[in-house]
Amino acid sequence: MALLDPKTWQPAPLAGGEYEVVEPATGASLGAVTLAAGEDVETAAAIAAAAQPGWARTPHLTRAAVLRRAGDLFSRHADELREWLVRESGSIPGKADFELHVAAQECYEAAALASRPLGEILPSEQPRLSYTRRVPVGVTAVIAPFNAPLILSIRSVAPALALGNAVLLKPDPRTAVCGGLALGAVFAEAGLPEGLLHLLPGGVEIGQALVAEPRIPIISFTGSTAAGRRVGEAAGRQLKRAHLELGGNSALVVLADADIEGAVAQATWGSFFHQGQICMTTGRHLVHASLYEEYIERLAAKAEALTVGDPHRERVHLGPVIDRGQLGKIQGLVESSIARGARLAAGGGHRDLFFRPTVLADVDDHTPAYAEEVFGPVAPVRSFATLDEAATLAASGPYGLSLGIVTRDTALGLELADRIPTGIAHINDQTVNDEAVAPFGGIAASGTGARFGGSANLDAFTELRWTTVRRETAGHPF
């Protein structure tokens, strides 16, 4: 039996207009969803706030069981959900399978959160019991993007629910099915009580309404740095907590002793996986001068050998970018980079939404595709001569999300990583990695630190309350 029926896939009526679900590879319509309007946010928040206290009082074993069943359902319905991820988001099947795997693991890890110790006994100068206890925040808003729609929704939805909260989820309308409605269907089948998860697909105005809604104290946002700044500013004015996972322009540093074949293999995946539409994408290749020309030659050959096409109907390495707006941004950055002196070593063109994996050599600080986050399959490469120069180049720029270092000397790699501000560092691996058990997040323009994954979820979705208990009422001087 199908998990998602286009006739009934939205469990609650919404007041916004109809939005066509489009397959980027072909432009074909896959159906339609109804978008949320501002009034829907207020209604959903009221329902969620009423339902949440009962859920918080529900025994932790019951909450954990719902999360475990949800994890099982992502596997049970994998074929159907894989097709949605491929067709709606332009993922190749392998990337869709990775999203499904991580979604299940996020649910299992969240289930374990429900039974974590929730506080500690504190010493006190007074004759009293003094302790801390974690309590649910209440209603959480989750705002998720299009690029890894299932992972970037479930990684906040699952732990928030497991810890006793209700959730209002706003998926990007371009991936409203696999990033939103699929989660609603899974949790409904898993037995989540009504009123605890609300799906509100929509644009900027719905995000603004979620941040403004007084019943929502926590905003979990994943998206661009520009949008994240606006969310953080608006939340800050209301003294709300905003967990922001934002953009990146991550560096892969290839040291002089690196195995160049292995380095290029890492680089190919890091820059071209999912058409480069990942916040952790390798956006800057920093290669020791002794390896530079060979690295460019090999990376360009790899790029030229990759196949680009419809991932639903062909076996390809890269699918389409999400829409023409994103295509125009990528093309503009590549063309302006070449105009400023970058050498086109591979790619640079596109057919419809299928952009060829592109290698740019001889870039510098002012090359647009090197200085900015491209969010497309573009690999800018520049050389360095010393470790100090490598550290300076890798640490430059506004972002601080992920870092890769390739070297045979792992101790040297760790030493170099310590000199580069970043939220994530990988030695002998590229920059795109994710596991449900690991804290995830960046610093500086990449966000507000590790607010997703592992034990970080406890801090993200609970409040720490101090409580004291005396045998008799306290006496005070007046």
Side-chain angles (χ1 to χ4, degrees):
M1 180 177 178
L3 178 71
L4 291 163
D5 181 350
K7 296 178 181 177
T8 60
W9 61 16
Q10 285 190 278
L14 297 174
E18 191 171 86
Y19 187 91
E20 188 177 15
V21 180
V22 174
E23 182 178 33
T26 63
S29 175
L30 302 176
V33 298
T34 303
L35 300 180
E39 63 204 66
D40 295 311
V41 172
E42 184 178 358
T43 300
I47 295 170
Q52 183 270 330
W55 177 241
R57 291 191 296 270
T58 299
H60 70 276
L61 290 176
T62 302
R63 284 185 271 121
V66 170
L67 270 297
R68 286 195 297 272
R69 287 195 293 270
D72 292 342
L73 289 167
F74 280 114
S75 299
R76 188 177 307 165
H77 295 288
D79 289 345
E80 179 183 359
L81 294 175
R82 180 188 304 111
E83 182 170 343
W84 271 109
L85 283 161
V86 169
R87 300 192 70 185
E88 187 184 29
S89 74
S91 300
I92 62 172
K95 188 260 191 180
D97 286 338
F98 176 72
E99 286 211 50
L100 289 163
H101 168 74
V102 172
Q105 293 305 312
E106 291 285 359
C107 290
Y108 299 142
E109 288 297 320
L113 284 178
S115 58
R116 290 278 187 94
L118 295 179
E120 58 184 356
I121 303 296
L122 303 175
S124 177
E125 297 177 353
Q126 303 294 321
R128 62 189 178 189
L129 172 64
S130 177
Y131 64 93
T132 60
R133 182 165 67 95
R134 291 188 179 276
V135 297
V137 296
V139 180
T140 295
V142 178
I143 302 174
F146 71 86
N147 54 317
L150 184 53
I151 290 177
L152 300 180
S153 292
I154 195 66
R155 71 172 180 185
S156 292
V157 170
L161 290 173
L163 291 166
N165 302 286
V167 176
L168 274 58
L169 169 62
K170 189 201 87 65
D172 189 302
R174 292 171 290 184
T175 49
V177 178
C178 54
L181 304 185
L183 278 77
V186 162
F187 278 105
E189 190 172 329
L192 182 71
E194 290 186 8
L196 295 170
L197 177 59
H198 298 260
L199 307 174
L200 302 167
V204 172
E205 69 284 354
I206 301 304
Q208 292 170 336
L210 287 168
V211 177
E213 169 55 49
R215 298 179 183 89
I216 300 174
I218 298 289
I219 311 296
S220 179
F221 174 87
T222 303
S224 71
T225 297
R229 289 187 193 278
R230 294 193 293 271
V231 169
E233 181 181 1
R237 286 198 299 268
Q238 301 178 66
L239 302 181
K240 295 185 177 188
R241 280 159 52 193
H243 305 313
L244 307 175
E245 200 272 281
L246 309 177
N249 193 8
S250 299
L252 179 69
V253 184
V254 180
L255 299 186
D257 68 341
D259 167 23
I260 194 165
E261 183 177 355
V264 169
Q266 299 302 318
T268 304
W269 183 265
S271 279
F272 305 139
F273 177 61
H274 194 47
Q275 299 78 261
Q277 298 174 123
I278 298 177
C279 58
M280 299 171 283
T281 290
T282 301
R284 296 177 296 154
H285 297 244
L286 308 177
V287 183
H288 190 270
S290 64
L291 304 177
Y292 179 70
E293 289 298 340
E294 184 180 359
Y295 182 94
I296 291 169
E297 182 181 344
R298 287 180 178 239
L299 183 59
K302 281 267 193 182
E304 295 289 1
L306 296 177
T307 54
V308 183
D310 181 349
H312 180 56
R313 297 167 181 84
E314 308 170 59
R315 288 178 59 88
V316 297
H317 298 101
L318 283 75
V321 298
I322 191 66
D323 60 19
R324 294 205 170 274
Q326 187 60 28
L327 176 72
K329 178 190 173 186
I330 298 165
Q331 186 175 18
L333 285 170
V334 170
E335 290 177 352
S336 61
S337 295
I338 294 170
R340 290 186 65 94
R343 170 165 50 102
L344 181 65
H350 69 92
R351 174 182 57 82
D352 295 325
L353 296 182
F354 303 103
F355 203 94
R356 288 293 312 172
T358 297
V359 179
L360 296 174
D362 305 338
V363 301
D364 59 28
D365 289 343
H366 305 292
T367 303
Y370 174 86
E372 301 177 33
E373 181 184 33
V374 178
F375 228 62
V378 180
V381 190
R382 70 183 295 180
S383 67
F384 64 88
T386 66
L387 278 178
D388 286 343
E389 185 184 4
T392 299
L393 289 173
S396 66
Y399 299 102
L401 182 53
S402 189
L403 168 70
I405 297 173
V406 184
T407 176
R408 288 185 169 91
D409 186 342
T410 54
L412 180 62
L414 287 168
E415 180 184 326
L416 179 60
D418 284 343
R419 300 172 60 183
I420 300 167
T422 184
I424 302 165
H426 303 290
I427 310 302
N428 287 325
D429 202 349
Q430 44 74 50
T431 55
V432 181
N433 281 278
D434 194 11
E435 290 189 40
V437 298
F440 186 98
I443 60 175
S446 291
T448 53
R451 297 293 185 269
F452 305 93
S455 59
N457 287 319
L458 285 170
D459 292 327
F461 301 112
T462 64
E463 301 285 5
L464 197 58
R465 177 182 294 172
W466 178 38
T467 303
T468 68
V469 181
R470 288 176 177 264
R471 184 189 245 338
E472 300 175 351
T473 56
H476 296 288
F478 57 87

